Amino acid sequence: MKQQSTNSSPQWNMTRISSTLGIEYPIIQGPLGGLSTQRLTATVSNFGGLGSFGAHGLNPSAIRDVIAEIRMLTSKPFAINLWVSMEDEGARTSGNEAFARSLASLAGHIQALGGTLPTFTRYVPIKFEDQVRVLLDAKVPVFSFIYGVPPKEILDECRAQGIVTIGTATTPDEAVVLEQAGVDVVAASGFESGGHRGSFLRPSEESLTGTFSLVPQVVDSVSVPVVAAGGIADARGVVAAFALGAEGVQIGTAFLACEESGASPLHRNALLRGNARRTGLTRGFTGRLARGIHNQLLEELNRPGIEILPYPLQRILMKNLTVVAEKAVKPEFLQLWAGQSANLSRQSDAKTLLQTLISGVFAVTESVHNNFKRNR
């Protein structure tokens, strides 16, 4: 479906974001971390938005394969998302004793669900520089990232190759640093967002600014175009983001609820059936602060005295519970990523979601324009 507003009404979709990214609608699908799929990425891009694939957990060879498959599914621009900071302090030195203490809070659930307790293995890191080299060699259209600023030589090469860069800021200060580094677009990520908080100047707990407050401050702090992210799930959120000065939006949880995503049926059902009314922040899922649906697992991991391994060791450990919990159909023991507007998720396929968003935004902007003309 392609909708156009009349000649007399404002062209809301014609922004610097649309022009810079080469897309028709300034709607970016959130990268969704380990729940990305090539199919979802291509579906959004083919419709006229920007599909994104979160590749931070993949080795370079796997990223190369992902890019190749996306290009088989779409000729439109798409983004590959990486994390600049790949591990937390202590990840390479953490040993068996810390592993055993962290496992203790999960062991009962793993065994009760029929799983086998894992044993300690030494962490083998994946290097950000090796991952980004694949993106540069493949000349991906858009490189988006969180948790910091890539080295100058990487951003210089992106610029030389015409690769658009999108950096994530959770505070106005982070947005300024990103612009000073030469990033093309800043994604202002409010604390309502599902998944990880990508703060990099101060601890995440000290950088929890809501989207409604963050976006206008970032817009006033930088000259590059700003994308609003966090708590946007329907046309009303899109219009509000533009009213705050954003020139594009990034939507994650609403796309996560779609069948094209990599979320499990249990996860998607929780988003679509009104079970996401309450969300919470925890470091227990991966070792870094992130937002998900409040359930028994999140509550237990947030209790005092629970030892959490540094990222990504905690994430690796948690997979042992996730696998058996999904098999046993126990959503109370799953990491159910979701933003605070998760209960606004209504669509189960990406194309319908995009159609609903775009028709809704055109309707609202048309109504506002007509009311303005009548009252002049």
Side-chain angles (χ1 to χ4, degrees):
M1 180 198 76
K2 182 179 289 188
Q3 289 205 26
Q4 297 293 339
S5 57
T6 65
N7 291 334
S8 61
S9 61
Q11 300 286 318
W12 70 270
N13 56 314
M14 297 176 63
T15 71
R16 287 188 296 169
I17 293 294
S18 302
S19 176
T20 299
L21 298 177
I23 58 179
E24 185 173 0
Y25 303 109
I27 297 175
I28 300 173
Q29 167 238 319
L32 307 182
L35 300 179
S36 305
T37 68
Q38 295 90 323
R39 181 185 171 204
L40 176 61
T41 302
T43 298
V44 176
S45 290
N46 283 332
F47 194 91
L50 184 74
S52 303
F53 191 100
H56 72 274
L58 301 180
N59 62 45
S61 176
I63 295 174
R64 190 175 297 109
D65 292 342
V66 163
I67 294 170
E69 184 170 346
I70 292 173
R71 281 185 160 143
M72 290 177 62
L73 297 172
T74 184
S75 60
K76 301 291 186 66
F78 62 90
I80 299 294
N81 181 270
L82 297 177
W83 292 14
V84 180
S85 168
M86 293 288 291
E87 61 190 47
D88 288 342
E89 184 178 356
R92 301 196 188 198
T93 58
S94 184
N96 186 59
E97 291 184 1
F99 173 84
R101 290 193 297 270
S102 296
L103 175 60
S105 61
L106 306 174
H109 297 317
I110 293 173
Q111 291 176 315
L113 296 174
T116 302
L117 295 183
T119 57
F120 172 75
T121 56
R122 186 64 62 181
Y123 164 60
V124 179
I126 300 175
K127 293 183 179 180
F128 165 75
E129 290 78 10
D130 294 340
Q131 293 178 315
V132 80
R133 185 71 256 165
V134 175
L135 274 57
L136 294 169
D137 291 344
K139 295 181 173 59
V140 297
V142 182
F143 167 35
S144 66
F145 51 87
I146 67 172
Y147 283 116
V149 185
K152 181 180 183 300
E153 56 269 23
I154 289 176
L155 294 177
D156 286 346
E157 188 167 351
C158 286
R159 195 173 303 110
Q161 295 195 26
I163 298 173
V164 178
T165 52
I166 303 176
T168 302
T170 63
T171 66
D173 289 344
E174 290 178 350
V176 171
V177 169
L178 288 166
E179 181 180 41
Q180 291 174 342
V183 172
D184 296 311
V185 176
V186 170
S189 179
F191 87 119
E192 300 96 328
S193 296
H196 290 86
R197 309 304 309 133
S199 306
F200 60 92
L201 290 183
R202 293 185 295 276
S204 296
E205 288 85 352
E206 298 175 16
S207 307
L208 297 177
T209 307
T211 304
F212 204 83
S213 176
L214 178 64
V215 170
Q217 292 186 67
V218 170
V219 169
D220 289 349
S221 299
V222 300
S223 61
V224 297
V226 174
V227 170
I232 302 169
D234 60 14
R236 293 171 295 180
V238 175
V239 173
F242 275 75
L244 296 173
E247 297 184 55
V249 297
Q250 180 169 289
I251 298 174
T253 304
F255 281 110
L256 190 62
C258 297
E259 58 92 17
E260 296 95 337
S261 83
S264 68
L266 289 176
H267 195 163
R268 295 200 306 274
N269 286 341
L271 296 173
L272 291 169
R273 295 183 179 178
N275 297 329
R277 189 163 280 108
R278 182 183 177 192
T279 65
L281 292 166
T282 184
R283 286 185 175 269
F285 286 171
T286 68
R288 288 186 174 177
L289 195 67
R291 183 178 297 281
I293 296 174
H294 186 278
N295 60 5
Q296 182 178 340
L297 177 64
L298 188 148
E299 187 170 314
E300 289 182 2
L301 291 171
N302 278 354
R303 288 173 182 168
I306 297 296
E307 180 156 344
I308 304 299
L309 294 170
Y311 182 89
L313 306 188
Q314 183 73 14
R315 176 176 66 85
I316 296 170
L317 174 62
M318 289 296 299
K319 287 181 179 179
N320 295 279
L321 176 57
T322 299
V323 170
V324 293
E326 285 188 351
K327 187 177 296 186
V329 194
K330 295 290 186 180
E332 62 267 32
F333 297 121
L334 291 175
Q335 303 140 296
L336 300 174
W337 308 108
Q340 287 189 324
S341 293
N343 263 10
L344 295 177
S345 300
R346 299 286 187 271
Q347 310 302 330
S348 60
D349 71 273
K351 186 175 180 180
T352 302
L353 171 60
L354 286 161
Q355 289 172 334
T356 303
L357 286 169
I358 292 164
S359 62
V361 174
F362 272 116
V364 172
T365 54
E366 193 81 23
S367 175
V368 171
H369 179 73
N370 290 336
N371 286 338
F372 175 75
K373 287 177 62 178
R374 282 197 296 269
N375 293 327
R376 288 181 67 178

